[in-house]
Amino acid sequence: MDIQLSGIGMTSARTRDRLVQRLREAGIQDDRVLDTIRNTPRHFFIEEALAHQAYDDTALPIGHGQTISQPWVVARMTELLMDGGKRSKVLEIGTGCGYQTAVLAPFCDELYSVERIRPLQEQARKRLIRLGLAKVQLKHADGGFGWKSEAPFDGILAACARPDIPSDLLEQLADGGRLVMPVGDDRKQILTVVDREGDQFHTQSLDAVRFVPFQRGVMR
């Protein structure tokens, strides 16, 4: 796959500024997150044929029945995860094309990302390396199990929905840590935040969202 870092309009400051303005108007308040969205080349993570839509606030297909999340969702989840302080060690469930990974990377010292679909993971790895984000640790595995050997994590972000939150992920959340993921089924999904305090888990249900379902097993 020929990954393009530039193209007509793709590096336009005006194009990216318009996206950031839309996100701000839609309620994203963290300037650090908005700056990261502005500086992350979203066109780099999608097929060239869709590049003209790269800075629209919409989800786009990336193959294998998966999508790159709309920028508002990426910004909102990042903002929620980082609210209340730095998350030094973060686990992402669902690397996908690597866009959310690239947005998260500047906010943490260690970033671990799990993807169940091998071709997506391999493409994401190439993109992240070309963007200078080789420090991100990638794993081809069933994300429902998290990454036990590297736990605990200060933050966990899951970019896929299921009716409940896997107990493995809650167990891998550090004391004082935060998990952000969509919870629900095909009819209704709610962006959910879970904060851990000792053995207690405090849950907040926030925004209505639409994600691909959380699937088990791996694809090669």
Side-chain angles (χ1 to χ4, degrees):
M1 178 174 162
D2 185 18
I3 299 171
Q4 301 294 323
L5 279 172
S6 63
I8 297 174
M10 292 180 184
T11 57
S12 165
R14 182 179 301 175
T15 298
R16 300 190 190 196
D17 286 344
R18 280 199 299 265
L19 172 60
V20 167
Q21 183 59 34
R22 286 196 293 270
L23 297 183
R24 194 184 298 277
E25 291 170 354
I28 304 301
Q29 301 178 10
D30 192 322
D31 288 332
R32 301 170 305 163
V33 173
L34 292 170
D35 285 343
T36 301
I37 292 288
R38 179 186 287 108
N39 294 326
T40 302
R42 191 170 185 249
H43 66 273
F44 186 45
F45 296 91
I46 59 178
E47 296 291 340
E48 189 173 0
L50 296 173
H52 64 287
Q53 295 179 265
Y55 298 99
D56 294 343
D57 189 21
T58 186
L60 296 168
I62 57 172
H64 305 278
Q66 305 299 301
T67 61
I68 179 174
S69 295
Q70 71 178 99
W72 180 85
V73 168
V74 171
R76 177 65 168 151
M77 293 184 77
T78 305
E79 183 177 62
L80 286 171
L81 189 67
M82 299 304 159
D83 186 37
K86 184 176 181 178
R87 308 289 173 187
S88 295
K89 189 175 184 181
V90 172
L91 172 66
E92 177 191 31
I93 305 299
T95 313
C97 63
Y99 178 63
Q100 173 75 81
T101 318
V103 172
L104 274 178
F107 293 95
C108 45
D109 296 327
E110 300 177 68
L111 179 55
Y112 299 80
S113 188
V114 179
E115 173 56 53
R116 62 181 291 272
I117 301 173
R118 173 77 77 180
L120 288 181
Q121 184 204 37
E122 291 176 348
Q123 290 174 5
R125 185 188 303 278
K126 293 176 183 177
R127 292 176 173 125
L128 294 170
I129 288 174
R130 288 191 62 188
L131 288 176
L133 298 175
K135 71 172 186 178
V136 179
Q137 300 296 309
L138 302 180
K139 182 178 183 180
H140 178 231
D142 184 328
F145 296 117
W147 198 327
K148 293 182 181 180
S149 64
E150 298 295 342
F153 299 96
D154 303 312
I156 299 177
L157 185 152
C160 39
R162 57 176 287 164
D164 59 349
I165 299 173
S167 58
D168 285 288
L169 298 187
L170 293 175
E171 291 169 3
Q172 292 174 38
L173 194 61
D175 187 10
R178 168 170 284 195
L179 178 147
V180 179
M181 72 173 286
V183 176
D185 54 27
D186 290 339
R187 294 169 297 173
K188 182 179 180 181
Q189 298 171 7
I190 300 295
L191 197 55
T192 303
V193 171
V194 180
D195 292 300
R196 181 170 189 171
E197 294 183 12
D199 293 328
Q200 300 296 312
F201 296 90
H202 306 284
T203 302
Q204 303 176 63
S205 298
L206 301 171
D207 311 299
V209 289
R210 174 62 63 182
F211 278 80
V212 295
F214 200 126
Q215 297 180 357
R216 304 308 301 258
V218 297
M219 290 178 57
R220 299 186 182 278

